[in-house]
Amino acid sequence: MNPKKRAEIFARLAAANPNPTTELAFATPYELLVAVTLSAQATDKSVNLATAKLFPVARTPQAVVALGVAGLEPYIRTIGLWRNKAKNVVEASRLLIERHHGEVPADRDALEALPGVGRKTANVILNTAFGQATMAVDTHIFRVANRTRIAPGKTPLAVEKGLERFVPEPYRRNAHHWLILHGRYVCKARKPDCPRCTIADLCEYKAKTRIEE
């Protein structure tokens, strides 16, 4: 895919959604960290339902540590892998207090040193909470980047590096949000909705679906 085509793709995505953001509900960087940690192998909707009950009770590292694992578990029982996530959230909260005065650091290495925080989670926090032009490659972005040929790669890290290289600078801050939403609602895994796709004529996916299908 050539640079002109990539630029047009992101121009159209930007025109359709000028201010994209995560669908996770949060008010502070800490709430975002908790929500993203809980969202692994879970839907944003299920996480939002849980945090709507949790955050009024405990929305700071200090409050979550006071709640403890046993106190946190009932709030997140409806989310997949909730037992392990409860342990990670409480321990990450303790470490934030111990190492960062209870604040979420705007630093990749510091974030990835927290339990339950991998590269993708760190990228979401750095981008959404701190405005850094990171690319959080989830299954949607991995699929869209490869299917469209915007930034093909065999691993999430390869796709991330490709996006950092190929996405035009004016669009880098919001690129991963556009691609996630596009993959979630249009360029879906089983049957992409090509007839209503705003970039279908630019996409290099060969097996495009048609209206009659």
Side-chain angles (χ1 to χ4, degrees):
M1 179 175 287
N2 62 54
K4 184 177 179 180
K5 192 179 284 189
R6 287 192 184 94
E8 178 61 22
I9 284 173
F10 284 101
R12 291 187 192 179
L13 294 175
N17 186 0
N19 299 296
T21 189
T22 179
E23 293 186 316
L24 291 169
F26 74 98
T28 65
Y30 176 71
E31 289 184 7
L32 178 63
L33 185 151
V34 171
V36 179
T37 301
L38 295 177
S39 71
Q41 300 183 47
T43 64
D44 288 359
K45 182 178 180 180
S46 68
V47 173
N48 290 341
L49 288 172
T51 56
K53 297 178 181 178
L54 170 64
F55 288 156
V57 175
R59 60 180 1 122
T60 66
Q62 292 83 357
V64 168
V65 169
L67 202 59
V69 173
L72 175 59
E73 285 180 341
Y75 291 98
I76 64 171
R77 237 180 252 272
T78 54
I79 300 172
L81 307 176
W82 55 272
R83 286 190 177 90
N84 195 50
K85 289 177 181 178
K87 294 176 184 177
N88 284 339
V89 168
V90 171
E91 179 60 12
S93 301
R94 187 188 69 78
L95 291 174
L96 286 177
I97 297 168
E98 180 183 294
R99 299 175 180 175
H100 306 288
H101 308 288
E103 300 295 325
V104 176
D107 175 80
R108 177 185 302 284
D109 290 340
L111 286 169
E112 290 188 30
L114 299 173
V117 179
R119 186 176 184 89
K120 183 182 75 174
T121 296
N123 279 340
V124 172
I125 294 166
L126 292 172
N127 179 281
T128 306
F130 300 111
Q132 297 184 25
T134 54
M135 305 288 176
V137 179
D138 69 350
T139 56
H140 296 298
I141 291 184
F142 186 79
R143 178 176 68 254
V144 172
N146 277 288
R147 185 181 275 170
T148 62
R149 311 305 290 174
I150 290 172
K154 293 183 179 180
T155 65
L157 182 58
V159 169
E160 178 185 333
K161 295 301 182 183
L163 290 170
E164 289 175 349
R165 178 182 176 187
F166 294 130
V167 175
E169 195 280 330
Y171 303 111
R172 287 177 193 164
R173 168 68 175 77
N174 290 322
H176 98 267
H177 292 298
W178 285 317
L179 295 176
I180 287 173
L181 294 171
H182 192 67
R184 185 173 290 167
Y185 297 112
V186 181
C187 196
K188 294 172 281 191
R190 293 188 178 181
K191 186 179 179 183
D193 196 355
C194 301
R196 73 179 186 93
C197 176
T198 59
I199 62 170
D201 59 314
L202 301 168
C203 166
E204 297 183 1
Y205 180 53
K206 294 181 179 179
K208 289 187 176 73
T209 57
R210 301 180 184 275
I211 293 176
E212 61 267 27
E213 293 175 344

